[in-house]
Amino acid sequence: MARTESKMLSLGTKAPDFTLIDAVTNKAVSLKDVRGAKGTVVMFICNHCPFVKHVNEELVRVCNDYRVTGFGFVAINSNDVINYPEDSPAEMWRTSQKNNYPFPYLYDETQEVAKAYHAACTPDFYLFDAELKLVYRGQLDNSRPGNGIPTNGRDLREALDSVLSNSPQRKDQKPSIGCNIKWKE
């Protein structure tokens, strides 16, 4: 498995707008629809990546723990489904059902949303505050497939807690590491 790092979009960047189809409901979902009163987490994931499979349970826990506090969550799959059919919308639906995703799972067919966010890998995490300004980007935690560190969502949870407590974010935000986004030719 290739190890690609996040590109680390500049803090303070306004969340790029989007409207994409939810692979679960087959309905259009926009940034406005998923925006939380306290903040919004945008995650770039896919179905086949071992890094995403490794953190799926924790993604669900973090969302369930924090959406009740006013955060919105959304996952986006931007992979090329022609060359990676396991990332197709039908498979996204299956993955969402299997993992009980409590967030919309959107398909970025044109890959324009991934480009707007400078997404580079799966998983890639972006936390925007109530004004949709980027306050955190990077890893979920230090766990990776095979490194023996259990998933706990520590880095993202600390960032969410900082927004809730109106505290400054950590300066040493670490990039996520995962499979590269499968770009179309």
Side-chain angles (χ1 to χ4, degrees):
M1 62 196 149
R3 296 173 68 91
T4 301
E5 284 192 2
S6 301
K7 289 186 179 175
M8 304 299 277
L9 187 63
S10 297
L11 294 174
T13 298
K14 180 99 166 141
D17 202 11
F18 59 79
T19 299
L20 298 169
I21 299 298
D22 184 346
V24 178
T25 65
N26 207 32
K27 294 188 170 137
V29 175
S30 69
L31 176 61
K32 183 180 81 172
D33 296 328
V34 298
R35 184 177 183 178
K38 294 286 185 181
T40 307
V41 176
V42 178
M43 306 174 280
F44 286 85
I45 65 172
C46 69
N47 306 325
H48 84 276
C49 173
F51 291 90
V52 174
K53 288 178 178 180
H54 180 71
V55 300
N56 264 329
E57 286 182 26
E58 186 60 23
L59 294 182
V60 170
R61 278 192 295 269
V62 169
C63 179
N64 285 332
D65 289 348
Y66 286 90
R67 65 185 176 152
V68 296
T69 65
F71 287 98
F73 288 80
V74 64
I76 300 172
N77 172 16
S78 300
N79 279 355
D80 171 9
V81 300
I82 301 300
N83 290 310
Y84 297 86
E86 61 270 35
D87 287 329
S88 72
E91 292 301 321
M92 291 170 64
W93 181 87
R94 283 185 194 85
T95 298
S96 178
Q97 299 305 301
K98 175 184 170 193
N99 293 289
N100 295 309
Y101 284 168
F103 43 78
Y105 191 13
L106 312 181
Y107 177 44
D108 179 19
E109 184 174 10
T110 67
Q111 300 184 318
E112 292 303 315
V113 177
K115 290 174 185 170
Y117 279 77
H118 298 268
C121 62
T122 57
D124 218 348
F125 300 93
Y126 301 83
L127 170 59
F128 297 90
D129 66 13
E131 284 78 45
L132 291 176
K133 290 190 176 147
L134 185 64
V135 295
Y136 177 80
R137 74 283 193 248
Q139 70 177 10
L140 179 69
D141 56 35
N142 287 321
S143 184
R144 305 286 185 267
N147 75 357
I149 299 171
T151 59
N152 58 18
R154 179 180 166 208
D155 293 61
L156 183 57
R157 286 174 182 278
E158 284 181 2
L160 290 159
D161 289 341
S162 291
V163 170
L164 282 175
S165 66
N166 219 10
S167 303
Q169 293 289 335
R170 290 175 56 176
K171 300 286 184 214
D172 63 333
Q173 297 180 9
K174 297 177 187 173
S176 187
I177 297 173
C179 299
N180 64 303
I181 290 188
K182 308 309 183 204
W183 301 106
K184 295 178 181 181
E185 294 181 19

